[in-house]
Amino acid sequence: MKILILYENTGMGHERNATILADILSGIPDAEIVKTSGSELFDSANLKMVSALWNYLIRRNRIRTADIVMNFLMRIFLLPVGEVLEIDHCLKKLDGVSPDFIISTSDASNKVLATYAKEKNIPFFIFLSEISTFIDLVNPYALHLCCLPETAKAIRNYDMGEAYFAHPLGRSASWFSKIFYVSKVWSEYALRPRKHSIYRNGSPCLPERNRNRVEVIGPLAERKYFAAKNRGLLRERFGILPNVPAVAVVSGSIGGSLLTDTVRQLCRRFPGPLHVMVICGRDESARLAIESFAVPAHIRVQAFGFVNNLDEYLRAVDCVVIRPSASVFIESLFSGTPILAVGKVPSNDRGSISTIDLYELGKSCEDPRHVADTLIAMLERLDMYRQNIRSLLASFPATYEERADHLRQLVLDQMIRS
């Protein structure tokens, strides 16, 4: 059985999820795993450009620009055009792989993947690590795997009668049919955005409008995040002094100016002793900038590049200060450490903020100038936040092996039914 796992190169979150799924599904006897990005598989300059532009804007903290231009305008106006222009090319590329099963952790390509899967009568899974969702992460043919029930609510809130979901694409589609599809999508989402929104933020209050297949599997992270860790020993190894609060500042592999802004504000405004460990990912310029900061005597700042033991850093500290991308948010959850989400976020990450608020897993502040005051308030309620994190995770299987077994069984069940 050949399983195609497709991701995209926006940060490392999508690829990390694909790697976790590949590790789990390699445990299926006779399974051949093909893991690749959509831009590589389809040899798409457009997908490569989108990934590069997204990473560029996020690294420079141009959040509003990334959100409006890429999350909304490009999805409404360019996504349907790209689908009709590249559908035949993409289907031929998929013919070359000839998968028996497709799993996608990416966006943008899912309508094409669903078209192929339906044509070949093979199973198709969409794995959503983010809490909020957009139209291209939902498909009536797919089985949707999501981390929390709020995402399931978002998926089932879309109207499957809207053109994006109801109008099929395929090898035999005429140009008239393709033009009609694009014009219909534009007329619904561009001209009537209040009635036809491409975006949903996960909420328990959203009404159900479809019966799409959804499986809530719980948050998923690498195997090492499930392992027990001695927090006291980790603090000693990292040189964190007793009774000194410690924070890890993380913005994923992208890094970006959010790191430097946050550290600068902590140095200026935090009044007492504090140990700050900054994980800069692949952003070497941010690491060098932070190392050059003039730091007050009562604060210790350490800047690191990309680390392979992020799970240990997250576990050792009292609070994780993050840009709440889905992967960093979930990894922070598994550390059991209260979360302080800082900065403006694009719409795809708003679900992380709403989840922090809904389950009281920590706090959020949009303006980095308020990070010190917010951190002071959080340090007084750490035990409550830790208990809330434990309670949320207790809703799902406790071990990596249990979650892996569940996923493998889902795949096998779908293969039997197809």
Side-chain angles (χ1 to χ4, degrees):
M1 174 173 61
K2 182 183 288 187
I3 302 175
L4 172 63
I5 302 177
L6 203 74
Y7 63 91
E8 206 40 78
N9 294 311
T10 48
M12 288 188 65
H14 293 294
E15 183 177 4
R16 186 179 294 114
N17 289 325
T19 300
I20 295 167
L21 292 171
D23 175 65
I24 290 172
L25 299 181
S26 64
I28 297 176
D30 301 321
E32 177 188 351
I33 309 297
V34 178
K35 179 172 73 76
T36 184
S37 70
S39 54
E40 292 169 351
L41 174 63
F42 300 130
D43 192 22
S44 171
N46 291 334
L47 288 175
K48 292 175 183 176
M49 180 273 293
V50 167
S51 297
L53 180 58
W54 176 266
N55 292 337
Y56 174 86
L57 292 172
I58 296 299
R59 182 173 289 117
R60 282 154 182 78
N61 212 27
R62 302 289 190 265
I63 303 300
R64 186 169 177 80
T65 300
D67 201 25
I68 293 173
V69 173
M70 304 193 69
N71 273 337
F72 288 91
L73 295 180
M74 291 181 69
R75 270 189 169 94
I76 292 172
F77 293 103
L78 299 186
L79 176 62
V81 174
E83 287 169 342
V84 301
L85 291 178
E86 297 191 4
I87 181 76
D88 293 336
H89 167 76
C90 292
L91 292 176
K92 289 177 182 177
K93 290 290 186 179
L94 288 165
D95 284 335
V97 179
S98 189
D100 303 300
F101 202 114
I102 301 175
I103 303 179
S104 169
T105 72
S106 70
D107 45 21
S109 302
N110 290 318
K111 191 174 180 77
V112 171
L113 296 173
T115 299
Y116 181 87
K118 189 173 183 179
E119 176 190 283
K120 301 296 183 181
N121 193 30
I122 62 174
F124 174 44
F125 285 5
I126 299 176
F127 179 85
L128 296 90
S129 59
E130 293 159 336
I131 314 303
S132 50
T133 188
F134 287 90
I135 52 171
D136 49 319
L137 287 162
V138 178
N139 190 276
Y141 183 77
L143 172 62
H144 305 80
L145 306 177
C146 57
C147 297
L148 295 174
E150 289 72 35
T151 309
K153 284 280 191 178
I155 291 167
R156 287 187 167 160
N157 182 248
Y158 285 98
D159 180 359
M160 292 297 106
E162 292 177 354
Y164 187 80
F165 305 108
H167 192 95
L169 294 176
R171 300 176 204 264
S172 59
S174 66
W175 273 108
F176 175 80
S177 174
K178 292 177 179 178
I179 293 170
F180 176 81
Y181 164 69
V182 172
S183 62
K184 189 70 173 173
V185 169
W186 285 353
S187 69
E188 287 183 350
Y189 296 115
L191 300 182
R192 292 175 287 172
R194 291 187 179 180
K195 183 177 180 181
H196 303 280
S197 174
I198 67 171
Y199 172 73
R200 300 289 189 279
N201 190 7
S203 166
C205 302
L206 291 173
E208 185 174 289
R209 293 194 175 114
N210 67 67
R211 293 298 299 166
N212 284 345
R213 294 179 298 156
V214 182
E215 188 79 20
V216 181
I217 62 172
L220 194 62
E222 295 172 86
R223 187 187 300 269
K224 61 186 179 183
Y225 283 91
F226 289 82
K229 298 176 181 67
N230 187 306
R231 184 167 172 269
L233 292 178
L234 288 173
R235 288 175 70 89
E236 183 177 335
R237 192 212 303 171
F238 290 133
I240 302 171
L241 297 176
N243 302 319
V244 173
V247 299
V249 183
V250 187
S251 184
S253 63
I254 291 176
S257 61
L258 179 67
L259 297 174
T260 54
D261 292 344
T262 299
V263 173
R264 188 178 287 111
Q265 292 303 321
L266 287 173
C267 290
R268 287 176 180 173
R269 300 174 186 270
F270 196 85
L274 183 66
H275 191 132
V276 182
M277 297 192 291
V278 192
I279 314 301
C280 300
R282 304 191 187 282
D283 190 349
E284 184 67 9
S285 62
R287 185 185 68 82
L288 294 174
I290 291 167
E291 287 182 343
S292 70
F293 284 178
V295 178
H298 63 280
I299 293 179
R300 182 185 181 191
V301 175
Q302 295 174 290
F304 305 91
F306 183 85
V307 298
N308 289 314
N309 60 333
L310 180 62
D311 56 311
E312 295 180 337
Y313 286 91
L314 298 181
R315 177 60 181 155
V317 297
D318 298 289
C319 179
V320 183
V321 183
I322 64 170
R323 179 181 69 83
S325 64
S327 58
V328 175
F329 168 66
I330 288 171
E331 289 165 352
S332 301
L333 270 185
F334 277 106
S335 73
T337 303
I339 302 166
L340 171 51
V342 178
K344 297 178 181 179
V345 297
S347 295
N348 53 293
D349 290 332
R350 283 182 196 159
S352 300
I353 300 289
S354 61
T355 302
I356 291 170
D357 294 339
L358 177 65
Y359 293 98
E360 292 188 285
L361 310 174
K363 285 183 172 292
S364 61
C365 69
E366 187 171 295
D367 190 337
R369 289 176 296 181
H370 300 150
V371 65
D373 291 338
T374 308
L375 177 60
I376 292 168
M378 281 188 63
L379 291 173
E380 297 176 356
R381 308 181 72 189
L382 291 180
D383 289 340
M384 182 198 76
Y385 296 129
R386 287 171 181 151
Q387 180 56 49
N388 291 344
I389 292 171
R390 286 193 292 268
S391 297
L392 175 59
L393 294 178
S395 306
F396 306 101
T399 68
Y400 183 86
E401 287 71 23
E402 288 176 295
R403 299 193 193 200
D405 288 342
H406 179 52
L407 274 173
R408 284 191 287 263
Q409 193 58 53
L410 281 175
V411 168
L412 292 171
D413 288 347
Q414 290 300 308
M415 284 301 300
I416 291 171
R417 293 174 185 173
S418 64

